[in-house]
């Protein structure tokens, strides 16, 4: 598996949007999904997370989102990222659990952030993914 940078979006962003990178998740020369890495601090990314991923339906069930996140972990220098998901998205919850993320809370998406989400999205689970091993 590999992550291939498709686009780095920095210019001409709508107000309130931060730069982000779009990666193709590739397995055996076949794109199986996409991963987005959003820039910004925890306050800016609290409701939509630093990471977003989607796996094409025919490739689901192989832990590709989990594996892609592990590849991303090796590419960035931050000590943690926020990952959010719909409380009913079982596949994403499993990925987050496998990553060893810490559950922070379930929140209602504030009105001012609704533009980032589909109309039917009302709540998000917020997780912290620690990327750096703590010194003992």
């Amino acid at each position: 598996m590999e992550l291939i940078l498709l686009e780095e979006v920095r210019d001409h962003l709508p107000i309130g949007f931060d730069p982000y990178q779009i990666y193709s998740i590739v397995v055996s020369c076949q794109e199986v999904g996409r991963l987005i890495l959003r820039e910004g601090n925890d306050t800016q990314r609290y409701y939509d997370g630093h990471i977003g991923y989607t796996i094409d339906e025919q490739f689901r069930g192989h832990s590709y989102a989990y594996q892609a996140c592990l590849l991303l972990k090796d590419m960035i220098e931050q000590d943690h990222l926020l990952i959010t998901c719909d409380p009913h998205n079982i596949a994403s919850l499993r990925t987050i659990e496998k990553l060893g993320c810490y559950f922070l809370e379930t929140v209602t998406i504030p009105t001012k952030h609704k533009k980032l989400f589909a109309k039917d999205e009302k709540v998000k689970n917020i997780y912290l993914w620690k990327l750096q091993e703590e010194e003992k």
Side-chain angles (χ1 to χ4, degrees):
M1 172 183 283
E2 63 181 323
L3 290 178
I4 298 174
L5 180 63
L6 296 177
E7 187 175 5
E8 189 160 356
V9 181
R10 298 199 159 279
D11 300 321
H12 310 295
L13 291 165
I15 293 172
F17 281 73
D18 294 304
Y20 59 94
Q21 295 85 44
I22 303 172
Y23 293 88
S24 175
I25 303 169
V26 177
V27 176
S28 301
C29 299
Q30 172 75 48
E31 181 176 297
V32 300
R34 299 270 172 106
L35 183 142
I36 296 175
L37 176 63
R38 299 177 193 95
E39 296 181 15
N41 62 37
D42 291 353
T43 301
Q44 293 166 306
R45 297 280 68 87
Y46 199 73
Y47 299 99
D48 62 344
H50 289 102
I51 297 175
Y53 44 76
T54 184
I55 302 299
D56 297 340
E57 192 169 343
Q58 68 268 33
F59 300 111
R60 293 178 184 165
H62 301 284
S63 298
Y64 291 147
Y66 167 75
Q67 294 172 47
C69 287
L70 292 180
L71 288 175
L72 182 69
K73 178 181 176 180
D74 293 337
M75 297 167 48
I76 58 178
E77 297 179 8
Q78 292 170 249
D79 64 349
H80 72 273
L81 295 174
L82 294 177
I83 301 177
T84 70
C85 79
D86 183 296
H88 304 292
N89 185 338
I90 302 303
S92 189
L93 290 170
R94 286 186 183 141
T95 297
I96 290 166
E97 182 179 280
K98 284 175 91 171
L99 290 169
C101 297
Y102 298 91
F103 175 74
L104 299 178
E105 65 178 327
T106 299
V107 296
T108 300
I109 301 167
T111 303
K112 70 179 186 176
H113 293 285
K114 291 278 187 182
K115 66 183 177 193
L116 302 173
F117 302 96
K119 289 182 181 184
D120 62 339
E121 290 183 283
K122 307 250 186 275
V123 298
K124 289 290 178 181
N125 285 354
I126 313 295
Y127 297 88
L128 177 72
W129 183 27
K130 292 185 179 182
L131 303 175
Q132 305 298 322
E133 295 296 323
E134 294 180 14
E135 299 282 328
K136 292 186 180 184

